[in-house]
Amino acid sequence: MSHDESEDELRRQILDAAGEMFYSRGIQNVGMDEIRDAAGVSLKRLYRLFGSKDELIAGHLALSDERFHAGLTKHVDAADGQHDKLLAVFDWLASWFAEDDFRGCAFINCYGELGATNAAVVDAARAHKQAVRDRLTRLATEAGSGDELAEHLALLAEGAITTAAISGSPQPARQARKAAATLVQAALGAASHRT
């Protein structure tokens, strides 16, 4: 294993430890000493790999984004038709909400904690949410609809995520899926009448 590979693995180990604590307890409630202990590294090594807590937060959000999109992609790609791919987004949300450690959206959580004081968190949250809307726009376009349907589905998804985090139940994903099915059917039906 090369030095770069071991550094990458150590960075990932630290990000996993920090991310788990940030996500479950909140960023401001977690100190660098706790991250050091959880990751099993010295404080000197931690600061050599991540010069500040802000760098750890940025890494946590980048990893959260990567994992979110990987899970969503796998679920959506497994669906058969374009209509089903749009609704698979909500099926995936239901499976995510049912996970024991689900605490809502890492980006919303970070934004809520730090958005007023940390421009990088604001930028990361906006970029993540835009990427979700872009994905929904691609799926809606491939299904024969477009931006308006995608915006409606994005709002349903965001509402479901927040409601599930507060309620502690995956039920909001199922409710949002029903509403999404109605919207998709109406949008695709209207699109087919225009052609």
Side-chain angles (χ1 to χ4, degrees):
M1 181 182 314
S2 74
H3 176 71
D4 288 344
E5 288 173 338
S6 64
E7 290 280 308
D8 287 346
E9 286 180 17
L10 190 54
R11 286 179 62 82
R12 187 65 167 242
Q13 179 180 322
I14 293 167
L15 284 174
D16 284 341
E20 185 177 316
M21 288 188 288
F22 289 162
Y23 186 64
S24 65
R25 295 174 34 206
I27 291 169
Q28 296 179 65
N29 294 325
V30 177
M32 294 298 272
D33 289 341
E34 291 178 277
I35 295 167
R36 172 203 62 204
D37 293 344
V41 298
S42 70
L43 201 55
K44 181 179 178 181
R45 188 98 187 244
L46 174 61
Y47 275 111
R48 189 167 54 76
L49 294 170
F50 296 94
S52 67
K53 191 173 182 182
D54 283 346
E55 284 184 31
L56 269 171
I57 295 165
H60 160 61
L61 292 176
L63 189 56
S64 295
D65 184 67
E66 176 186 315
R67 288 177 174 163
F68 178 94
H69 287 290
L72 181 59
T73 296
K74 183 177 178 183
H75 209 87
V76 168
D77 287 353
D80 289 328
Q82 295 305 323
H83 177 274
D84 292 335
K85 287 184 184 298
L86 284 164
L87 298 181
V89 169
F90 296 91
D91 296 334
W92 178 76
L93 289 176
S95 66
W96 179 35
F97 298 170
E99 292 175 5
D100 289 338
D101 65 346
F102 176 73
R103 300 287 181 274
C105 172
F107 294 88
I108 293 171
N109 297 347
C110 284
Y111 183 87
E113 269 195 90
L114 303 173
T117 60
N118 189 319
V121 167
V122 173
D123 291 344
R126 287 179 178 161
H128 174 76
K129 298 304 179 183
Q130 184 61 53
V132 173
R133 284 192 302 276
D134 291 346
R135 176 178 293 239
L136 287 168
T137 298
R138 281 192 305 276
L139 290 171
T141 300
E142 290 167 3
S145 188
D147 290 353
E148 185 175 18
L149 175 61
E151 288 296 328
H152 292 159
L153 296 179
L155 285 172
L156 277 174
E158 290 300 329
I161 292 168
T162 302
T163 304
I166 293 168
S167 70
S169 166
Q171 188 61 28
R174 291 189 275 282
Q175 294 164 334
R177 188 190 194 283
K178 286 181 184 177
T182 301
L183 288 171
V184 168
Q185 188 62 40
L188 299 183
S192 68
H193 290 304
R194 287 194 300 268
T195 57

